[in-house]
Amino acid sequence: YKSEQYYFFVFGNTSTAYNLGDAGNFMWGMAGRISGFTWIELKSGSNWNEIRQGRGWDSDADQRAIQAGFT
């Protein structure tokens, strides 16, 4: 018997819930902004990481979560 658990995260006073993967993307966006990266650098870096791993471009959902954390 395999039991699956799903976790969702809400950051701040918002109504958007993120699954575990997108919560990580949100935190990546926030950490990138705090570290002084530009939005273009974060967007390019996440796309490059996906391409490097052979998965094509970063998904729209991932990009939205990163941008939400960045802003």
Side-chain angles (χ1 to χ4, degrees):
Y1 173 75
K2 181 180 177 183
S3 174
E4 294 186 31
Q5 294 180 331
Y6 297 95
Y7 298 95
F8 294 92
F9 301 86
V10 176
F11 297 101
N13 189 19
T14 67
S15 60
T16 304
Y18 297 95
N19 65 25
L20 181 59
D22 284 335
N25 288 325
F26 182 97
M27 290 187 293
W28 166 247
M30 182 180 290
R33 178 181 50 82
I34 291 169
S35 297
F37 290 98
T38 67
W39 165 239
I40 296 300
E41 289 170 325
L42 288 179
K43 181 181 179 84
S44 299
S46 65
N47 278 317
W48 173 246
N49 181 55
E50 291 297 314
I51 291 168
R52 185 182 60 83
Q53 294 183 46
R55 297 190 293 228
W57 296 101
D58 205 7
S59 72
D60 289 340
D62 288 353
Q63 288 290 305
R64 280 192 303 272
I66 295 167
Q67 188 171 24
F70 184 81
T71 55

